[in-house]
Amino acid sequence: EDYNERYGRDFSIPTHALFKRDVAARLAHKAPHIRIENSPEQQLDLLIVVDQMLTGFDSKWLNTLYMDKVLRYENIIQAFSRTNRLFGPDKPFGTIRYYRLPHTMEQNINKAVKLYSGDKPLGLFVEHLDENLKKMNAIFEDIATLFNRAGIPDFTKIPDDLAERGKFAKLFREFNSHLEAAKIQRFVWSRSRYEFDKDPENAKTVIDLLFDENTYLVLALRYKELFAGGGGGGGSDDVPYEIDGYLTEIDTGKIDADYMNTRFDKYLKMINQPGVDQDQVRQTLDDVHKSFAFLTQEEQKYANIFLNDVQRGDADLAVGLTFREHVTKYRSNAKNEQINSLILTFGLDESKLSNLLNSGVTEANLNQYGRFDELKDSVDKIKAKKFFEEREAMVIPPFKVNVKIADLLKKFILRGGFDI
């Protein structure tokens, strides 16, 4: 009755077999519940069973089996196998948690695995949380060493060398594979120290993390820039190293910008106070620069321009704006100047250019509805010929001018603007 009310069904005792089949399909996201993940209210998230569905039931969505009973031999193998369907980064393995007579169960598991694996349990047991944390620390040290050797100890940009970028891409992917496993094993960012007591006769193992969530998100931002060509704009599909698409979707907007603001506010107070120690001022300014790691490469460019204006006393420090909001304002003003410069130089139709820039177009749909062709047609060919001939110091035939116009406009739109 509860199931019927919750999910709008009408099963009864005579149709119990259909009820059980519907439960299995709902849990496995199979027909008629294929896209049930898009309707959370229709999902079945927890199933409590005695014997049924411990065997013969497969679901890639089933990730954890909680055991409050003692099993032996084939029952262990069959029950544990309910969790062994892998499902991408969200489910790199299944998890088993057993509570009833754990030492007896451990012996039973070892006996069952020994019997049914031919005493060769290859790839059966995953690494536990302590091992995943150790490997995350080790990989982070490798990443830090890579950036240090490239002269970027604060992770403010990705290395210029392609081989170093490829190494970083590989290390970051490895780091995330352990991180995803650790999260399933109850790792949380709010804890920086973990203690393990596997053997009561031995001392506890303590693992202190060498990184925090902010540092991780900064590295994720740098990883995204590998895909974007390293500059925060103008992505390239032809990068010479392997990039995992799902890692470029990490939400780096959660990076704590408060640190930047506090460092910047402290710097402003210092430069406006008489008799302040200049070494302290320089140290605080260094701290502000270090916080630039939280910004994209393009944002860092405008952050430096803004900071230079502050040092010269030329910045308009609007009351109530955070450091990042000042940077965004500078970036927006610069983009407007780039757009105005392009319009004046080539006599472009402003509305047609704005329409393309604000539509989030890609190379594939740039000329959808002929809008890119219309923009090119609005170019003043005389102005364009003059621009390219002055820049290249040579006479350029009209057909080549048209090619150069198309190429420049395409890059400008796809990159979101640049100084021409």
Side-chain angles (χ1 to χ4, degrees):
E1 289 173 357
D2 178 71
Y3 190 87
N4 286 340
E5 182 180 352
R6 184 180 299 270
Y7 299 117
R9 316 298 280 178
D10 59 353
F11 298 114
S12 60
I13 295 301
T15 59
H16 180 268
L18 294 176
F19 159 70
K20 183 180 172 184
R21 196 178 305 161
D22 193 72
V23 170
R26 191 180 298 275
L27 193 65
H29 297 221
K30 293 180 180 178
H33 306 296
I34 291 177
R35 291 182 176 81
I36 199 172
E37 63 270 18
N38 298 323
S39 304
E41 71 282 357
Q42 291 294 317
Q43 289 180 212
L44 184 59
D45 297 319
L46 178 67
L47 189 68
I48 302 174
V49 305
V50 178
D51 287 312
Q52 294 188 28
M53 299 186 78
L54 276 179
T55 63
F57 169 70
D58 291 326
S59 171
K60 65 186 180 182
W61 299 85
L62 199 157
N63 58 38
T64 305
L65 180 66
Y66 301 90
M67 300 285 300
D68 193 34
K69 64 192 302 181
V70 177
L71 299 181
R72 293 176 179 81
Y73 292 111
E74 73 278 4
N75 288 330
I76 284 177
I77 301 300
Q78 289 182 331
F80 283 16
S81 294
R82 296 316 96 222
T83 68
N84 71 356
R85 303 298 183 265
L86 306 186
F87 189 33
D90 292 324
K91 187 189 172 189
F93 52 74
T95 301
I96 310 292
R97 298 196 176 282
Y98 48 90
Y99 302 92
R100 183 69 61 90
L101 300 179
H103 297 296
T104 301
M105 271 295 291
E106 185 174 7
Q107 293 174 18
N108 291 353
I109 292 167
N110 290 335
K111 289 176 183 176
V113 169
K114 182 180 177 70
L115 177 62
Y116 290 103
S117 72
D119 204 16
K120 295 179 181 177
L122 299 176
L124 178 61
F125 296 108
V126 302
E127 293 170 332
H128 288 182
L129 178 58
D130 56 336
E131 290 301 317
N132 280 313
L133 295 180
K134 287 177 185 175
K135 291 194 174 177
M136 287 161 66
N137 269 346
I139 295 171
F140 176 74
E141 285 187 312
D142 289 342
I143 292 174
T145 299
L146 177 73
F147 275 79
N148 275 320
R149 288 176 177 169
I152 318 166
D154 47 9
F155 306 124
T156 50
K157 65 174 186 174
I158 51 178
D160 294 327
D161 184 77
L162 287 180
E164 290 176 338
R165 290 187 178 192
K167 180 68 172 175
F168 169 56
K170 180 175 181 292
L171 288 171
F172 190 72
R173 289 198 309 273
E174 290 177 2
F175 183 93
N176 271 278
S177 68
H178 292 288
L179 175 62
E180 286 152 2
K183 285 180 177 178
I184 294 172
Q185 297 164 335
R186 296 186 290 187
F187 164 81
V188 289
W189 284 113
S190 57
R191 287 181 62 186
S192 59
R193 168 170 287 200
Y194 288 80
E195 295 183 359
F196 300 92
D197 189 9
K198 290 187 175 180
D199 188 347
E201 296 180 2
N202 295 326
K204 289 183 179 180
T205 299
V206 178
I207 299 176
D208 290 308
L209 299 184
L210 303 178
F211 51 88
D212 58 18
E213 186 177 16
N214 261 354
T215 306
Y216 168 73
L217 291 174
V218 166
L219 291 176
L221 193 58
R222 300 292 86 86
Y223 187 84
K224 288 182 179 183
E225 290 170 356
L226 290 175
F227 184 71
S236 170
D237 295 328
D238 188 26
V239 291
Y241 29 77
E242 186 180 348
I243 296 290
D244 283 345
Y246 81 95
L247 292 179
T248 65
E249 300 301 318
I250 296 171
D251 180 13
T252 51
K254 295 186 298 181
I255 293 177
D256 185 5
D258 287 344
Y259 181 80
M260 268 192 301
N261 292 329
T262 55
R263 297 304 92 186
F264 177 65
D265 288 343
K266 183 178 178 181
Y267 174 68
L268 282 183
K269 289 176 183 176
M270 280 191 167
I271 61 175
N272 290 322
Q273 283 181 2
V276 176
D277 186 344
Q278 289 305 305
D279 287 338
Q280 282 187 308
V281 174
R282 278 191 293 271
Q283 179 60 52
T284 305
L285 183 59
D286 286 344
D287 288 342
V288 176
H289 280 290
K290 286 176 183 176
S291 73
F292 286 4
F294 298 162
L295 304 171
T296 66
Q297 292 289 280
E298 186 176 29
E299 286 173 330
Q300 288 182 35
K301 171 184 171 184
Y302 294 107
N304 277 307
I305 294 173
F306 169 62
L307 206 52
N308 287 336
D309 284 354
V310 171
Q311 289 174 283
R312 291 196 305 269
D314 296 334
D316 178 17
L317 297 172
V319 177
L321 288 188
T322 65
F323 180 80
R324 189 160 200 161
E325 287 169 339
H326 278 295
V327 172
T328 301
K329 183 179 176 182
Y330 265 61
R331 182 174 177 269
S332 177
N333 290 340
K335 290 297 177 188
N336 289 335
E337 288 177 8
Q338 291 170 351
I339 292 168
N340 290 334
S341 175
L342 188 76
I343 291 169
L344 290 173
T345 301
F346 292 101
L348 289 168
D349 184 301
E350 183 176 352
S351 62
K352 289 182 172 59
L353 177 61
S354 297
N355 180 45
L356 279 167
L357 285 170
N358 296 327
S359 299
V361 295
T362 63
E363 190 165 0
N365 65 6
L366 178 63
N367 198 35
Q368 196 172 33
Y369 312 118
R371 52 192 173 182
F372 185 62
D373 286 339
E374 289 181 3
L375 177 65
K376 288 189 295 182
D377 290 342
S378 74
V379 171
D380 185 323
K381 300 299 191 299
I382 295 174
K383 285 186 174 182
K385 191 172 190 298
K386 181 178 180 231
F387 170 80
F388 288 114
E389 287 183 344
E390 286 182 356
R391 190 173 72 171
E392 300 180 23
M394 60 183 291
V395 176
I396 302 175
F399 77 92
K400 283 192 176 181
V401 171
N402 290 334
V403 172
K404 289 179 181 294
I405 288 171
D407 184 53
L408 186 143
L409 291 178
K410 177 181 173 183
K411 289 178 180 176
F412 189 94
I413 292 165
L414 295 180
R415 291 182 187 177
F418 52 79
D419 292 323
I420 62 169

